[in-house]
Amino acid sequence: MSRSKRKKEFEKLVQRIDPPSKLLCTWELKGGVSAQVTALEIERPNGQTRKMIVRRHGETDLKQNPHVAAYEFKLLQILQSVGLPAPTPLYLDQSGEVFPTSYIVIELIEGQTEFVPSDLADYIIQMATNLARIHSRCLEL
């Protein structure tokens, strides 16, 4: 796909999400296996910028569940509603008008993966606490 066609797709997406905003840049995020992940930075009319992620699931996920984007969006809404740490879901598009398959847009959370945490005990406590919160909420649903 040409760079100009790709840019036009993301500009169209920005107009759907936040019509007065303009697309500043896009970049691919590497490392995911279940979706093509693209970061966007937009500029709002007041000059503030915002970064977000576009997640487009691959063929394998779509074959297993054609509604995977909608399910992921709903799951993120639920996680947010109960106060669990998760990116905010911003937009779900199932129309096929911008991209041929459904996709979601979520907030970009700056950070990096820590494969060797500096404080392993604290890392384990945080993970266990959040897993317990997730499981207690699952029982309520």
Side-chain angles (χ1 to χ4, degrees):
M1 171 183 308
S2 74
R3 179 175 276 163
S4 64
K5 182 175 191 262
R6 182 172 168 239
K7 182 179 179 189
K8 286 182 184 186
E9 289 175 334
F10 285 108
E11 286 173 340
K12 187 175 181 180
L13 167 62
V14 170
Q15 292 308 301
R16 287 174 162 253
I17 296 171
D18 193 358
S21 295
K22 70 176 185 176
L23 178 66
L24 294 177
C25 62
T26 66
W27 63 99
E28 295 297 317
L29 297 177
K30 303 294 181 196
V33 294
S34 65
Q36 182 178 356
V37 184
T38 306
L40 309 177
E41 185 171 15
I42 65 170
E43 181 178 25
R44 294 186 148 160
N46 63 6
Q48 291 183 334
T49 60
R50 182 175 193 185
K51 294 178 182 175
M52 54 192 74
I53 301 290
V54 179
R55 286 185 46 81
R56 295 182 284 162
H57 287 274
E59 189 177 324
T60 301
D61 283 354
L62 292 169
K63 280 182 182 176
Q64 288 180 339
N65 179 358
H67 306 288
V68 65
Y71 288 166
E72 183 176 1
F73 190 83
K74 182 65 176 170
L75 174 61
L76 289 170
Q77 286 179 320
I78 292 168
L79 294 173
Q80 285 280 305
S81 73
V82 297
L84 289 165
T88 302
L90 303 171
Y91 186 72
L92 166 65
D93 186 0
Q94 302 178 88
S95 71
E97 293 174 11
V98 177
F99 299 111
T101 59
S102 299
Y103 62 92
I104 64 171
V105 180
I106 60 177
E107 77 171 318
L108 181 134
I109 299 174
E110 299 284 351
Q112 59 189 16
T113 304
E114 287 190 47
F115 293 106
V116 182
S118 58
D119 185 344
L120 185 57
D122 182 58
Y123 180 83
I124 291 170
I125 289 169
Q126 287 183 45
M127 186 170 42
T129 300
N130 284 315
L131 284 171
R133 290 175 67 202
I134 290 168
H135 287 284
S136 71
R137 292 301 190 182
C138 287
L139 293 175
E140 293 173 14
L141 300 175

